[in-house]
Amino acid sequence: MFVIKYASSIMCRAQNVRLLRPCSYAIDLKIGDYSMSKYIEKLVKEYECGDTQNVRKQELKPIMSVLDRRKEVIKNIESLKELLSDPDESIKKLAEEEQFGYDQKILELDEHLKEVLLPADNEDNVNAIVLDVSSGVGGQEAMLFANEVFEMYKGYIEFKGWQCEIAEFMNTDIGGLRHASLLVEGENAYKCFKYEAGVHRVQRIPSTEKSGRIHTSTISVNVLPQPTDIQIDLQAKDLRIETKRASGAGGQHVNTTDSAVRIVHIPTNVAIECQTDRSQIKNRQFAMQRLRAKLYEMQLEEQLAKTQGLRKSQVRTKFRNEKIRTYNFGQDRITDHRVAGNVHNMKVFMLGGAPLDDLIDKLDHQTKLERLRELLDGHK
């Protein structure tokens, strides 16, 4: 049987001290588990029996590469056995220090192995997304919070060095936001933002509340990959495009120019309107992008209804319509209900910088571990 030595919970033989993981949160899925060993044994046999040009063999190469590097480190650890028992204390100490370095390398390789064992999500390498933020329950307070979260995401996009364009923005007179759409482009944009999709709840005393009573309001966030023209084939005969004068604030062009665009996809009766820009051409481009994204979303929902085996981390997961995060301003606490622990310092978090990025990394890591558990459960 293929056995993996030196599990992630390594005990340093010489010091009898458990090495701590180089991360801020615990990982309880050990590489040395029996189910993991059995699964890797199966992959090794599959790799060794495969033809050199076999597609599956090429897929397994990254896994085999990590295992080979792991074997080399273990050989180096084994070569230290005699030195660890050397009567010369200076030699023994040097051997212990060297072993500690090798143990740390094993931990790093184990984390990398977990990454390469999981099949990649097709959408994770999507660099262009549509990000929607909409107010929910809570009236004006929900709209005010929707605007704050929208600004937080714009800050996060700037923090990541990505690009974005506002495709739709429906605000209120007091600075709230009914609904807004952003077209975002950046490396692995979908992989990061997919964990933001769902219901966000805010608990605080609204500025308009005279009695000091805490209100609870909600907003919803939707994240979709921007499909390409190849993914969604839009035929001219299936589209009804209408133009009209824009409404709302915006200057003299509102009443004099037919800049607003409404596109109806006749087969599905999906209608998209856009009046963000002064240019009818620009509004038409935005509306077409949002229409493709909406049709892509419908296609994914149809696939999910037919396929029960889709991984939980794909679009339309349990994160989608659940309350995923609570922002408690009175206690200066952000609680993401999918992971353990809270984040504090609301003012900094709402800037959309490193604290939000760290939380997204934590969510990504936990999701991958859950998927790995499911993968191993299916091969018991």
Side-chain angles (χ1 to χ4, degrees):
M1 174 181 166
F2 184 86
V3 179
I4 298 183
K5 300 178 182 178
Y6 285 85
S8 292
S9 56
I10 297 172
M11 296 292 291
C12 185
R13 296 173 184 167
Q15 300 167 320
N16 197 31
V17 175
R18 185 176 296 274
L19 300 178
L20 299 179
R21 294 182 173 279
C23 58
S24 58
Y25 45 97
I27 302 169
D28 59 3
L29 187 65
K30 307 298 188 298
I31 288 291
D33 285 348
Y34 178 75
S35 56
M36 176 71 84
S37 297
K38 290 286 290 182
Y39 179 61
I40 292 179
E41 178 186 16
K42 172 181 173 293
L43 296 182
V44 170
K45 289 180 179 178
E46 189 177 354
Y47 181 80
E48 291 175 346
C49 295
D51 183 84
T52 54
Q53 300 301 320
N54 188 286
V55 174
R56 178 58 175 161
K57 186 160 186 171
Q58 297 301 314
E59 292 175 351
L60 293 174
K61 266 190 174 182
I63 299 173
M64 299 304 122
S65 175
V66 176
L67 292 176
D68 288 341
R69 287 156 58 195
R70 204 175 188 277
K71 288 178 184 176
E72 287 300 315
V73 176
I74 291 174
K75 285 180 182 179
N76 292 332
I77 294 175
E78 295 293 337
S79 69
L80 293 174
K81 280 184 178 180
E82 292 184 8
L83 295 177
L84 288 168
S85 58
D86 196 290
D88 188 324
E89 286 299 319
S90 60
I91 294 177
K92 184 178 178 180
K93 185 177 180 180
L94 287 172
E96 288 174 354
E97 291 176 356
E98 192 170 352
Q99 186 193 26
F100 184 84
Y102 286 139
D103 288 343
Q104 292 296 317
K105 186 62 177 178
I106 288 288
L107 291 176
E108 294 174 10
L109 288 171
D110 285 353
E111 293 304 310
H112 190 194
L113 184 58
K114 291 173 187 177
E115 295 277 341
V116 296
L117 278 171
L118 289 171
D121 280 329
N122 292 332
E123 286 80 20
D124 275 358
N125 57 8
V126 171
N127 297 331
I129 63 168
V130 178
L131 173 66
D132 291 329
V133 177
S134 303
S135 61
V137 177
Q140 290 290 346
E141 171 63 9
M143 295 177 192
L144 288 170
F145 182 60
N147 188 64
E148 292 174 49
V149 172
F150 183 73
E151 291 299 322
M152 178 182 75
Y153 288 147
K154 286 171 64 179
Y156 183 65
I157 291 165
E158 183 178 354
F159 171 78
K160 298 293 282 188
W162 298 341
Q163 302 296 320
C164 70
E165 283 188 281
I166 297 177
E168 187 175 10
F169 192 84
M170 299 172 61
N171 59 353
T172 66
D173 295 336
I174 64 171
L177 180 68
R178 298 179 188 276
H179 173 79
S181 290
L182 271 178
L183 304 178
V184 183
E185 290 191 16
E187 185 176 359
N188 298 325
Y190 180 77
K191 180 181 178 181
C192 294
F193 265 117
K194 68 179 181 181
Y195 297 108
E196 295 302 297
V199 176
H200 297 238
R201 182 175 69 175
V202 60
Q203 294 175 324
R204 65 182 176 187
I205 302 173
S207 57
T208 56
E209 176 60 55
K210 296 180 180 179
S211 63
R213 184 168 58 92
I214 295 175
H215 285 226
T216 298
S217 306
T218 64
I219 68 165
S220 63
V221 177
N222 191 23
V223 181
L224 294 170
Q226 281 190 45
T228 65
D229 292 336
I230 297 174
Q231 291 171 304
I232 300 296
D233 185 20
L234 293 179
Q235 301 290 333
K237 62 182 179 61
D238 294 332
L239 302 177
R240 184 169 71 250
I241 302 176
E242 304 166 353
T243 59
K244 61 179 181 179
R245 292 182 181 178
S247 58
Q252 292 183 352
H253 82 283
V254 168
N255 299 316
T256 60
T257 308
D258 289 341
S259 60
V261 175
R262 183 173 188 266
I263 301 178
V264 180
H265 186 244
I266 298 171
T268 59
N269 203 34
V270 172
I272 300 293
E273 293 188 19
C274 187
Q275 58 177 22
T276 307
D277 201 87
R278 292 173 177 267
S279 166
Q280 182 187 118
I281 296 175
K282 197 74 171 178
N283 284 332
R284 177 168 173 161
Q285 290 174 345
F286 286 157
M288 288 293 285
Q289 286 175 300
R290 292 184 58 221
L291 176 60
R292 290 191 182 97
K294 181 63 178 177
L295 295 177
Y296 187 66
E297 176 185 21
M298 294 170 64
Q299 182 181 346
L300 288 177
E301 287 177 338
E302 183 179 351
Q303 290 174 358
L304 181 60
K306 294 178 181 178
T307 308
Q308 298 300 321
L310 285 179
R311 295 185 299 274
K312 288 184 178 180
S313 63
Q314 290 182 330
V315 178
R316 297 299 173 268
T317 67
K318 61 183 179 182
F319 300 157
R320 165 67 177 147
N321 290 316
E322 287 185 353
K323 173 190 66 182
I324 63 168
R325 192 178 298 152
T326 297
Y327 304 72
N328 190 310
F329 278 73
Q331 299 179 14
D332 192 30
R333 184 187 70 223
I334 302 100
T335 302
D336 195 293
H337 304 286
R338 299 162 292 181
V339 294
N342 299 313
V343 180
H344 296 277
N345 200 337
M346 185 80 68
K347 184 178 293 186
V348 174
F349 186 86
M350 296 303 291
L351 295 175
L356 176 58
D357 198 44
D358 290 343
L359 179 56
I360 289 173
D361 282 345
K362 189 173 181 178
L363 286 163
D364 184 58
H365 194 94
Q366 176 168 302
T367 301
K368 287 175 179 176
L369 285 179
E370 290 174 355
R371 286 175 52 200
L372 187 53
R373 290 190 188 97
E374 293 174 359
L375 185 64
L376 296 178
D377 288 342
H379 288 83
K380 284 184 177 179

